[in-house]
Every structure is written in structure tokens, then in C-alpha cells.
């Protein structure tokens, strides 16, 4: 299996632009998580899905952030409009419910200028 | 108070020594406890998990849990330079898939 696949690996954009991050979980996994990592705040859970349904989005910073999971093999995290403080590494992770291990993607390094 | 707290370090130990990494958590309902390792520029990877009070050993790694004190630790015996990384403590409460991470402790093992 190829593991969790995220795209793009790097994204540089200007303040005010829309940013879309993409994630393909491991086939057969039914839980998907979006995390954001910064030096100051560490690894923060933004939102997670079970069976494509959003379960907990309490970590989403504000209305500028939205996430979707239209099917079991694809999820997006959208920021509109983007701001410099959104600059971070965004990780997607997947697992099977009942399994302990989270499998992380390689992350998307987002820079908002 | 943060839900999961770790000293950011860096923790510097000589090669061959025991490295001790510590973590405290605030939610008494927490049921599962994890240690992830993250090399610079890479994604986190699971090292160990522990559910019950006491020690759990896996090779050079030992996880220790004390629920009464809300404390979990990771010991690395015979530390190697290749163990130099950031170690993330993570906690999951009962009946949820939500995994909350600490900010991590940076470990440096010098030859």
C-alpha cells in the first residue's frame, strides 16, 4: 500500500487566496484526521471523520476553514481566504476504528505570504 | 492548562545512556496513551502505546503509566544518535477516536 497520500507537498500563496489541501487515506481505513503543526502550538487536531462523516470539528480555527470527505478515498481541507497565520504543516492521517496506530501522510507545508 | 503537556527540551544525553521523556495530561477520562517519534521534516510514527498502569517494554523502549498522577513517560535505553528526534506524547479519551498530542520533546543523543 502506498500509505496516506497528501498533495501538494508545498504550497506558497498570497494572503486572501483560497487554498485546497488534498488527502487520500489508506484503502480500507474508515477514520480520517486533519492536523496542523506549528512550532508554537504543536500538532493540533482540526477535524476527524468516521465513515466519511465529520465527527468532531471543534479544532477548526474559524469559518475560513472547511473540510469535506465526499467518499472513502478522498478528503479536502480548504482555507478561504488564507492568512499568514495559517502558515503551518498540515497532516492528514488515517486509521481503522479499533486500531491504535495512526498512519500519517507526508504533510503539506503551507506558506501564506 | 493544555490537555497534554511536555517539556519542549532539548534533552541532551550521551550515546549509551538512558533517555527519560515525560508527559502529563489533564483529562482523567483518558484511556489510551501513545508515544510517537518525529524526525525533522518527517511525519510522526508510532513507537508504543499503553493502557494500564505500570510498565510496558518493547526492545529498548519502555512506556510507563501512572493514572493516579496523570503521568506517562518513555524510557529509551542504550540511546543512539539515530534516536535524536522529537517525541510526541498523545492521549485518547474513552469512547472517542480523538487523539490529542503534546507539543513534543526534542531529544538529542550525542556520540
Amino acid at each position: 500500500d502506498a500509505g496516506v497520500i497528501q498533495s501538494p507537498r508545498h504550497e506558497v500563496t498570497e494572503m486572501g487566496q483560497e487554498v485546497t489541501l488534498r488527502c487520500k487515506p489508506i484503502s480500507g481505513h474508515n477514520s480520517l484526521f486533519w492536523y496542523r503543526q506549528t512550532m508554537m502550538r504543536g500538532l493540533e487536531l482540526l477535524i476527524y471523520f468516521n465513515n466519511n462523516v465529520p465527527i468532531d470539528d471543534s479544532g477548526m480555527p474559524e469559518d475560513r476553514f472547511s473540510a469535506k470527505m465526499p467518499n472513502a478515498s478522498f478528503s479536502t481541507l480548504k482555507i478561504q481566504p488564507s492568512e499568514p497565520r495559517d502558515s503551518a504543516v498540515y497532516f492528514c492521517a488515517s486509521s481503522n476504528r479499533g486500531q491504535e496506530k495512526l498512519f500519517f501522510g507526508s504533510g503539506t507545508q503551507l506558506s501564506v505570504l | 492548562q493544555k490537555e497534554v503537556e511536555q517539556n519542549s527540551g532539548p534533552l541532551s544525553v550521551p550515546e549509551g545512556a538512558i533517555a527519560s521523556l515525560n508527559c502529563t495530561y489533564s483529562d482523567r477520562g483518558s484511556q489510551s496513551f501513545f508515544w510517537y517519534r518525529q524526525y525533522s521534516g518527517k511525519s510522526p510514527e508510532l513507537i508504543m502505546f499503553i493502557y494500564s498502569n505500570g510498565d510496558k517494554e518493547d526492545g529498548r523502549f519502555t512506556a510507563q503509566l501512572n493514572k493516579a498522577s496523570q503521568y506517562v513517560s518513555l524510557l529509551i535505553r542504550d540511546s543512539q544518535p539515530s534516536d535524536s528526534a522529537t517525541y510526541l506524547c498523545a492521549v485518547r479519551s474513552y469512547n472517542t477516536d480523538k487523539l490529542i498530542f503534546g507539543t513534543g520533546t526534542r531529544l538529542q543523543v550525542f556520540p
Side-chain angles (χ1 to χ4, degrees):
Chain A
D1 199 316
V4 177
I5 299 173
Q6 290 187 246
S7 64
R9 287 297 308 273
H10 303 275
E11 176 81 32
V12 180
T13 190
E14 292 187 346
M15 183 174 63
Q17 297 297 306
E18 177 179 298
V19 174
T20 299
L21 311 180
R22 296 172 175 80
C23 176
K24 176 179 167 56
I26 292 173
S27 177
H29 282 187
N30 52 18
S31 295
L32 184 140
F33 303 77
W34 282 102
Y35 284 89
R36 175 174 70 176
Q37 188 172 37
T38 60
M39 288 292 292
M40 289 298 296
R41 300 173 69 89
L43 200 59
E44 301 174 278
L45 178 64
L46 301 177
I47 185 171
Y48 79 94
F49 297 82
N50 280 338
N51 296 318
N52 314 338
V53 176
I55 303 300
D56 188 332
D57 65 355
S58 59
M60 295 285 261
E62 49 200 270
D63 291 345
R64 297 185 298 106
F65 286 67
S66 63
K68 293 182 179 180
M69 192 165 186
N71 56 62
S73 59
F74 184 65
S75 177
T76 60
L77 178 68
K78 187 175 292 187
I79 308 172
Q80 166 64 17
S82 57
E83 297 182 3
R85 61 192 167 121
D86 302 330
S87 298
V89 179
Y90 290 80
F91 286 104
C92 175
S94 72
S95 72
N96 262 330
R97 294 199 81 189
Q99 283 188 349
E100 297 305 339
K101 186 175 181 179
L102 273 189
F103 293 80
F104 282 83
S106 298
T108 295
Q109 174 76 61
L110 173 65
S111 298
V112 183
L113 306 177
Chain B
Q1 181 189 6
K2 287 190 174 182
E3 293 182 73
V4 180
E5 297 213 42
Q6 297 180 253
N7 188 317
S8 61
L11 173 66
S12 293
V13 299
E15 185 174 357
I18 296 175
S20 178
L21 303 157
N22 305 314
C23 170
T24 58
Y25 59 94
S26 60
D27 182 5
R28 284 196 171 274
S30 300
Q31 294 286 314
S32 308
F33 307 85
F34 305 82
W35 284 99
Y36 280 75
R37 178 177 61 199
Q38 186 176 25
Y39 290 111
S40 180
K42 302 295 185 182
S43 54
E45 54 180 349
L46 181 66
I47 300 174
M48 292 188 69
F49 59 87
I50 185 169
Y51 302 135
S52 305
N53 279 328
D55 295 359
K56 179 181 179 182
E57 188 174 316
D58 184 359
R60 295 186 297 113
F61 299 96
T62 298
Q64 299 176 317
L65 175 61
N66 183 327
K67 289 187 178 180
S69 300
Q70 295 175 249
Y71 178 91
V72 58
S73 64
L74 179 70
L75 301 178
I76 307 174
R77 288 181 300 282
D78 189 22
S79 297
Q80 301 297 310
S82 58
D83 295 326
S84 298
T86 296
Y87 289 79
L88 302 167
C89 174
V91 172
R92 185 163 65 208
S93 295
Y94 176 74
N95 206 27
T96 176
D97 296 314
K98 190 172 176 177
L99 194 61
I100 304 300
F101 284 84
T103 52
T105 298
R106 189 158 63 95
L107 173 66
Q108 295 176 334
V109 181
F110 55 92

